[in-house]
Amino acid sequence: DQQVKQNSPSLSVQEGRISILNCDYTNSMFDYFLWYKKYPAEGPTFLISISSIKDKNEDGRFTVFLNKSAKHLSLHIVPSQPGDSAVYFCAATVLKNSGGSNYKLTFGKGTLLTVNP
Amino acid sequence: NAGVTQTPKFRILKIGQSMTLQCTQDMNHNYMYWYRQDPGMGLKLIYYSVGAGITDKGEVPNGYNVSRSTTEDFPLRLELAAPSQTSVYFCASSLTRDRGRSPLHFGNGTRLTVT
């Protein structure tokens, strides 16, 4: 039972254009969401996160949007650069009522983004 | 600044063999974790530790053991390797338990094949 779904295994965009990576979740208890980026032969690195009390969080070229009613979040990268080519993982957790600590992050399968020069 | 270091990078085991995956971090993080990533899948938590001497099971602990004798080291032990344990294993650490302010720092992984 996949609680975090990234339905697009891959995405290809041109340099300078917008990349939109999507993520859907089924567990309505999730209240904190994160995106990790992974290059080949390396571990994932944290990119950006969003709490369920917000609907948008921005950090430079990266913006995450959260639509709670649709149980959907998306990561926008503008403008896309060749160095953004990587696998992007969406992850979710339940922070409320856990004292801010929940060791379980539920990950999606990832989306491979390729940015073409 | 090394961060989280995992050894070995690659390993091939025969069914029934045992091995220890090493993980060490130099960031003085109390919290450490072991994840596995199967091909085409997301990461799943195997074990975690909130400090030296304290460990607990994650989602998929069967077939594994851990210990945490120091803040820096968190080895993962496979006692009787099975083909189902073929995976990429990631060790991670975090400064605090606050997932909002303290994201995970991952090592570069150990690719394990059991044949």
Side-chain angles (χ1 to χ4, degrees):
Chain A
D1 177 29
Q2 249 191 297
Q3 297 187 64
V4 176
K5 301 177 184 178
Q6 294 178 259
N7 291 321
S8 298
S10 62
L11 174 68
S12 182
V13 300
Q14 286 299 119
E15 182 178 5
R17 298 286 184 95
I18 183 172
S19 295
I20 300 177
L21 295 97
N22 294 305
C23 178
D24 297 295
Y25 61 96
T26 58
N27 187 344
S28 58
M29 298 297 291
F30 287 146
D31 58 6
Y32 200 83
F33 305 89
L34 308 92
W35 286 92
Y36 281 82
K37 179 169 76 172
K38 184 184 178 305
Y39 293 118
E42 293 185 11
T45 55
F46 171 72
L47 189 58
I48 193 170
S49 62
I50 188 167
S51 165
S52 61
I53 62 173
K54 295 183 175 182
D55 54 20
K56 176 183 173 181
N57 190 25
E58 193 171 352
D59 184 1
R61 296 185 297 113
F62 302 90
T63 303
V64 56
F65 295 92
L66 176 62
N67 182 335
K68 289 190 291 293
S69 60
K71 295 192 180 65
H72 176 83
L73 63 156
S74 60
L75 174 68
H76 292 213
I77 306 173
V78 184
S80 301
Q81 299 173 353
D84 296 329
S85 297
V87 175
Y88 289 79
F89 290 99
C90 173
T93 191
V94 179
L95 285 190
K96 188 178 178 182
N97 297 328
S98 67
S101 67
N102 187 332
Y103 306 103
K104 181 180 176 182
L105 280 180
T106 301
F107 285 85
K109 293 182 179 181
T111 296
L112 173 63
L113 173 66
T114 303
V115 180
N116 301 302
Chain B
N1 187 4
V4 178
T5 303
Q6 292 183 238
T7 56
K9 288 187 170 63
F10 305 95
R11 183 73 186 266
I12 299 175
L13 281 183
K14 293 189 187 305
I15 294 171
Q17 287 185 320
S18 61
M19 77 163 293
T20 299
L21 282 68
Q22 301 292 345
C23 175
T24 187
Q25 51 93 7
D26 62 359
M27 297 174 283
N28 203 30
H29 286 175
N30 280 326
Y31 299 83
M32 296 188 74
Y33 317 81
W34 274 105
Y35 284 86
R36 60 178 284 176
Q37 184 191 10
D38 298 333
M41 304 295 287
L43 286 77
K44 291 190 182 297
L45 182 63
I46 305 171
Y47 269 95
Y48 65 95
S49 169
V50 303
I54 307 170
T55 63
D56 208 345
K57 297 177 181 178
E59 299 174 78
V60 289
N62 291 345
Y64 306 95
N65 278 302
V66 293
S67 59
R68 185 95 182 271
S69 57
T70 66
T71 299
E72 295 77 20
D73 301 307
F74 190 39
L76 178 72
R77 178 86 178 159
L78 282 73
E79 290 294 349
L80 291 169
S84 61
Q85 293 177 304
T86 294
S87 190
V88 180
Y89 291 83
F90 291 101
C91 179
S93 71
S94 63
L95 178 62
T96 72
R97 65 180 188 178
D98 185 337
R99 192 62 65 242
R101 296 183 182 84
S102 182
L104 301 177
H105 296 259
F106 284 89
N108 287 336
T110 295
R111 184 176 294 274
L112 175 67
T113 302
V114 182
T115 62

